[in-house]
């Protein structure tokens, strides 16, 4: 009897708002997710002569004389082709090569963001194995590696085998081996916790596609025995003598058995591996598994069994899914960027079984390590150690590249497939730190922390389209409990006009300035706080009916909300005056300042003060640096602080330079533990080699990531120029120094910016509540 059933497609489970947002994301500001950027200057005639004719001939001749020089003179050693014919795309099936292009561009982005690898996505039309192999093999001179993607089984097995035979560069079908490597690590650790041996456990699999069979093949190479593995697919159990939907890759797992359904082979299973469809594993089946079973329900978006149901009947079960909202997420991004990083850097001619084993062991070992303080801070202060809910690392653990790439490079060297062996692996691992937190996923730790314990966030401009759309995202992601200030009828009509699915009263609370039962309490509190600043009772009544920032701040001050966001309309300083009146400064803080984050191609950089103090004194600069460091740590980043100036370590004796030098002295006295230095110029802050030439004894190591400016003009100009010229993603401004989480955005903020700042506000509220 069949055990699999069609699962809902990603399209059928997608909200209309998410669909619209995804289309806008792909369409604007320019179509697609990729572009090509030159890495060398082309500013004059000589540059042109070096880049093209006649200078380029020198590079051509050098490669002709020694092909290995291509790795030094071209991008080939850092260039991967992501190739698909679109026959097995995500949950969409055979949608063809053209429709698969957005997915392949997405895969290219992950390579670049996580491991700095350049990618050309190539969508091809052939479906015949020989034609696919001919097309792909012909690309070998261009690329350092091939990542096959979304090619259906069983053709994908033969395509990969033939290409590995013909090509002298790594060929890796991620749908198979990426999943298999993470599953291998999870099984390795799950069996260790359960006290079971790989060669003794019974493994039952639902699904027999490319990923499932690759997982089983890797588990066998890790010690599992074929006679202990039972497979079921859409036609039932894979048994000896079955003819329907059989192929040479499935045949080795055919058993001598009379069982024909998943329910008949699950008894006593130590490991369930699901790569099939949602709901096929029932609670009754789970009850009949062996003690301390490992359940890997990897179907998406609906697992073979929901973790909470499995836990109800088997509290001793260890559970992995493919979803980010449960522990133990099996996500291919855990490994594929870093496997290619290691393979490319050592010039590997293939990715062999030993390299895959090295990746398995590196991932499994990382999960067993003492949790990094950086990771703990990044994920809401949680420092969960190795256990049933942490069999594998988070896909966003910054240490993944530092463990996997060197392990893969070492295995390539030891097995003789590295054409450029890396002799000093410790130095190589150190060099990989340049990719940590340059992934463009800097916000992920705060999103994870916010989801763990959502807080009430009040939005002053609750009628604004950006806030309404952000509220939809915030609710879908589980980041916060929104409170919108605005007229209920206006909010309702705009929600409907924008096609949003959120509803007042069900999904979010509304504070109506014209009719809220707490009105008297609000204006009375406002008069109490601001009565000595010219606010009479009548004035307080009027303002609390009309000024939504005041209402938001009063809600926060009263404890009706945990954080507030305002500033989408009006001048920043007008909003700050209201926050100052009602929320006030945190104990011991001299004044407010604003910290702005820019996410660039080179990494994440924090700039302060971008909004508040026109000309801060040395004491205020030291204070803002200390407070900024606290916020930076919430992103899971160790702050490296540079106090910037036009002067470099005393090269100019001006008031501004002396101020920054004095600020460093104060900072060193107050917080000697902080890694900080100054005064220094911006290029000195961002280049360790340049800094060593100017002052070898500098306390700052590596690249500064917190740039403290001497005045508001410098900070705001630097922020705006970086945002525009580097096409950087801005986050903030983050208000520093307030007694409670209160953040003032700017009129140019986007929906994405509101969502990001919601996560920042929630993380801050969590920290202040401790």
């Amino acid at each position: 009897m069949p055990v699999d059933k069609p699962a809902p497609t990603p399209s059928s489970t997608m909200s209309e708002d998410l669909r619209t947002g995804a289309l806008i994301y792909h369409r604007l500001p320019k179509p697609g997710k990729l572009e090509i950027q030159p890495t060398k200057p082309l500013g004059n005639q000589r540059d042109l002569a070096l880049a093209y004719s006649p200078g380029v001939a020198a590079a051509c001749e050098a490669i002709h004389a020694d092909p290995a020089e291509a790795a030094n003179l071209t991008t080939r050693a850092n260039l991967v082709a992501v190739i698909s014919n679109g026959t097995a795309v995500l949950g969409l099936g055979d949608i063809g090569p053209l429709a698969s292009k957005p997915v392949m561009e997405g895969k290219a982005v992950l390579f670049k963001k996580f491991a700095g690898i350049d990618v050309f996505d190539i969508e091809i039309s052939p479906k015949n194995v020989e034609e696919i192999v001919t097309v792909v093999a012909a690309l070998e001179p261009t690329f350092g590696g091939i990542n096959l993607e979304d090619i259906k089984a069983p053709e994908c097995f033969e395509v990969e085998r033939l290409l590995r035979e013909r090509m002298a560069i790594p060929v890796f079908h991620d749908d198979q081996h990426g999943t298999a490597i993470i599953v291998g690590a999870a099984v390795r650790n799950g069996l260790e916790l359960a006290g079971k041996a790989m060669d003794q456990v019974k493994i039952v699999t639902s699904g027999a596609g490319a990923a499932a069979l690759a997982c089983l093949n890797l588990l066998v190479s890790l010690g599992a025995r074929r006679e202990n593995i039972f497979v079921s697919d859409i036609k039932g159990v894979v048994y000896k003598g079955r003819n329907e939907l059989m192929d040479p890759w499935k045949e080795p797992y055919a058993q001598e058995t009379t069982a024909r359904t998943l329910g008949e082979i699950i008894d006593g299973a130590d490991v369930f591996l699901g790569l099939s469809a949602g709901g096929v594993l029932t609670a009754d089946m789970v009850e009949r598994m062996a003690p301390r079973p490992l359940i890997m329900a990897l179907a998406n978006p609906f697992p073979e069994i929901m973790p909470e149901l499995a836990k109800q009947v088997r509290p001793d079960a260890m559970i992995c899914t493919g979803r980010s909202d449960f522990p133990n997420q099996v996500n291919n991004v855990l490994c594929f960027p870093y496997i290619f990083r290691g393979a490319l850097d050592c010039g590997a001619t293939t990715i062999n079984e030993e390299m895959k084993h090295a990746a398995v062991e590196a991932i499994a070992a990382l999960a067993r390590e003492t949790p990094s303080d950086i990771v703990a801070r990044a994920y809401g202060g949680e420092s969960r150690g190795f256990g049933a809910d942490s069999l594998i690392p988070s896909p966003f653990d910054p240490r993944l590249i530092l463990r996997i790439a060197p392990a893969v490079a070492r295995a390539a060297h030891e097995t003789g497939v590295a054409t450029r062996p890396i002799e000093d692996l410790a130095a190589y691992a150190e060099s990989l730190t340049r990719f940590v937190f340059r992934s463009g996923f800097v916000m992920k730790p705060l999103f994870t922390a916010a989801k763990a314990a959502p807080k009430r966030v009040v939005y002053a401009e609750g009628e604004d389209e950006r806030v309404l759309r952000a509220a939809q995202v915030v609710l879908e992601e589980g980041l916060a409990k929104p409170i919108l200030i605005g007229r209920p009828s206006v909010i309702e009509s705009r929600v409907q006009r924008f096609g949003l699915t959120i509803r007042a009263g069900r999904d979010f609370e509304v504070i109506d300035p014209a009719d809220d039962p707490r009105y008297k309490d609000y204006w009375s509190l406002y008069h109490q706080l601001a009565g000595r600043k010219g606010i009479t009772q009548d004035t307080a009544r009027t303002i609390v009916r009309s000024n939504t920032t005041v209402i938001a701040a009063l809600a926060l001050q009263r404890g009706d909300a945990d954080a507030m966001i305002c500033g989408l309309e009006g001048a920043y300083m007008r909003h700050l005056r209201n926050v100052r009146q009602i929320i006030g400064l945190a104990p011991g803080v001299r004044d407010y300042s604003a910290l702005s984050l820019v996410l660039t191609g080179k990494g994440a950089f924090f700039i302060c003060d971008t909004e508040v103090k026109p000309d801060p004194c040395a004491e205020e600069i030291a204070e803002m640096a200390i407070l900024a460091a606290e916020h930076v740590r919430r992103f899971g980043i160790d702050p490296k602080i540079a106090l910037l100036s036009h002067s470099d370590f005393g090269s100019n004796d001006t008031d501004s330079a002396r101020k920054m030098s004095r600020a460093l002295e104060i900072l060193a006295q107050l917080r000697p533990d902080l890694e900080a230095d100054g005064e220094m110029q911006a290029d000195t802050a961002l280049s360790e080699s340049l800094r060593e030439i100017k002052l070898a004894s500098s306390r700052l190591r590596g690249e500064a990531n917190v740039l403290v400016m001497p005045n508001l003009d410098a900070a705001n100009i630097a922020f705006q120029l970086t945002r525009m010229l580097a096409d950087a993603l801005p986050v903030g401004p983050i208000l520093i120094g307030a007694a409670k989480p209160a953040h003032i955005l700017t009129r140019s903020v986007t929906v994405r910016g509101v969502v990001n700042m919601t996560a920042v506000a929630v993380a801050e509220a969590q920290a202040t509540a401790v």
Side-chain angles (χ1 to χ4, degrees), residues 442-607:
V442 173
M443 289 301 302
K444 181 63 180 180
L446 293 182
F447 274 72
T448 302
K451 290 179 182 181
K455 297 292 184 180
R456 298 165 301 167
V457 178
V458 58
Y459 301 85
E461 292 88 1
E463 298 176 1
D464 190 287
E465 178 181 355
R466 291 165 293 178
V467 169
L468 293 171
R469 292 194 180 279
Q472 177 86 41
V473 176
V474 164
L475 286 161
E476 288 180 349
E477 294 290 324
L479 301 177
K481 302 169 184 177
I483 303 170
L484 306 187
I485 300 176
R487 295 162 291 178
S489 60
V490 173
I491 290 174
E492 182 180 1
S493 65
R494 291 182 179 178
V495 163
Q496 293 177 356
R497 185 199 311 167
F498 303 143
L500 306 179
T501 59
I502 56 175
R503 293 293 179 265
R506 183 191 70 188
D507 302 309
F508 60 90
E509 179 186 344
V510 175
I511 296 178
D512 181 2
D515 183 22
D516 190 279
R518 295 163 293 187
Y519 170 67
K520 184 177 185 301
D521 296 330
Y522 275 39
W523 74 253
S524 298
L525 176 59
Y526 184 43
H527 176 62
Q528 175 188 332
L529 294 170
R532 292 185 179 275
K533 298 174 184 176
I535 302 298
T536 66
Q537 289 189 3
D538 286 342
T539 304
R541 291 188 186 98
T542 300
I543 290 176
V544 173
R545 287 289 192 203
S546 58
N547 190 317
T548 57
T549 298
V550 168
I551 299 171
L554 290 168
L556 178 58
Q557 185 66 16
R558 276 172 42 90
D560 296 338
D562 303 303
M564 67 170 282
I565 289 177
C566 63
L568 282 76
E569 299 294 339
Y572 187 95
M573 295 306 294
R574 176 172 66 81
H575 294 284
L576 183 60
R577 282 195 298 272
N578 294 324
V579 170
R580 189 187 297 273
Q581 275 187 337
I582 299 167
I583 304 300
L585 292 163
V589 174
R590 298 170 62 98
D591 203 355
Y592 299 99
S593 54
L595 177 69
S596 294
L597 166 61
V598 283
L599 303 176
T600 74
K602 285 181 60 65
F605 299 94
F606 296 83
I607 302 172

